[in-house]
Amino acid sequence: MNTNSNSYKFKQYTMFAGVATVLFGLVVIVPFIYGLYLTFTSWDGVSKTKPFVGFSNYATAFSDVDYWHALGRTFIYAAIAVILVNIVAFVLAFLVTRGLKGQNFFRAGFFVPNLIGGIVLGYVWKFVFNRAFVALGTAIGSGTLSVSWLSTPTGAMICMIIVSVWQYAGYMMLIYVAGFMSVSEDVIEAAFIDGCTNLQSVIHVSIPLMASSFVQCLFLSITRCFMVYDVNLSLTNGEPFNSSVMAAMHVYNQAFTYKNFGPGQAEAFILFIVCAVIGIAQVYVGKKAEVGA
């Protein structure tokens, strides 16, 4: 009986998730294993032979000063962007769940930037920062806006953060909207009866009950910001003077531009480990807070 049950479950799994599992294995698992293998070779991306070099690529990666500078910039960019993305997303979700007229239209409008590809988005905002803001600053006599922010290292970082917040906030907003809608109206009404103001009910009732939404949004925004490449490429292309090169762009350049696939793959694997550790730690802490709430 147990054998028949297991066979039935296997057939069900194969029918509904078999294709997805095969595709996931081919697109994610196999390339990951192959990339891990390349970290132990000195392949240049062209030759048929892949000489085995052991851990020398990892030694090269750990001694690559430019890589660690890029990873440091990624930490700074991700920390600021993740905080701002979630603050903006939470505020937007709060506003569009208050029963405002046309709130569904606003939900759709705030989500639209997430549908635009990062490459296109970067070029659009590059025009805004280089032309529109400069023209506006010149017209009103503002020294801050008269010069493109993309021309300075600090300005380029600020531009990256602005574009990321504009792109990701709408997507995270939908998760927070679902969180707000999952909070029972009876609980909110009970809070009001007990004397809570609207703000107090949000802080002391809604937010604790939305812990799972915060866990999901933080995880998604952290992983997206650490792996950012498309916006980095089209908006700044690492300029000025390679001061805005993020970790993913450095890894790509190392592997595909300079044909150092071994060190590039080793650096990519280190970046994966960093993202995995941060993501798992964030989810673990968030789940504990969720249980406590």
Side-chain angles (χ1 to χ4, degrees), residues 90-117:
F90 183 83
V91 172
L92 292 177
F94 175 78
L95 294 176
V96 299
T97 53
R98 298 300 97 184
L100 298 176
K101 186 177 181 179
Q103 66 181 20
N104 290 332
F105 171 79
F106 288 112
R107 290 180 189 179
F110 292 138
F111 179 73
V112 165
N114 188 74
L115 301 177
I116 305 174

Side-chain angles (χ1 to χ4, degrees), residues 124-245:
V124 169
W125 275 94
K126 189 173 186 177
F127 172 82
V128 172
F129 289 124
N130 283 341
R131 301 294 181 86
F133 281 2
V134 172
L136 177 62
T138 303
I140 65 177
S142 172
T144 304
L145 293 177
S146 297
V147 179
S148 174
W149 292 357
L150 293 172
S151 62
T152 64
T154 303
M157 179 69 74
I158 293 174
C159 292
M160 283 282 298
I161 293 171
I162 291 174
V163 175
S164 297
V165 173
W166 190 79
Q167 181 182 19
Y168 299 145
Y171 181 80
M172 304 305 163
M173 176 201 69
L174 293 184
I175 299 176
Y176 285 125
V177 166
F180 272 113
M181 295 179 68
S182 68
V183 178
S184 174
E185 290 292 335
D186 295 336
V187 178
I188 301 297
E189 290 178 5
F192 286 138
I193 293 173
D194 289 338
C196 285
T197 63
N198 196 19
L199 179 60
Q200 288 175 332
S201 70
V202 172
I203 296 175
H204 298 294
V205 179
S206 297
I207 290 180
L209 295 176
M210 293 172 55
S212 60
S213 297
F214 284 98
V215 171
Q216 295 174 42
C217 287
L218 286 173
F219 177 79
L220 291 173
S221 53
I222 287 172
T223 52
R224 286 190 175 196
C225 288
F226 265 95
M227 295 297 183
V228 65
Y229 173 75
D230 47 5
V231 173
N232 193 190
L233 175 66
S234 57
L235 182 64
T236 70
N237 197 26
E239 301 298 332
F241 313 114
N242 292 329
S243 62
S244 64
V245 174

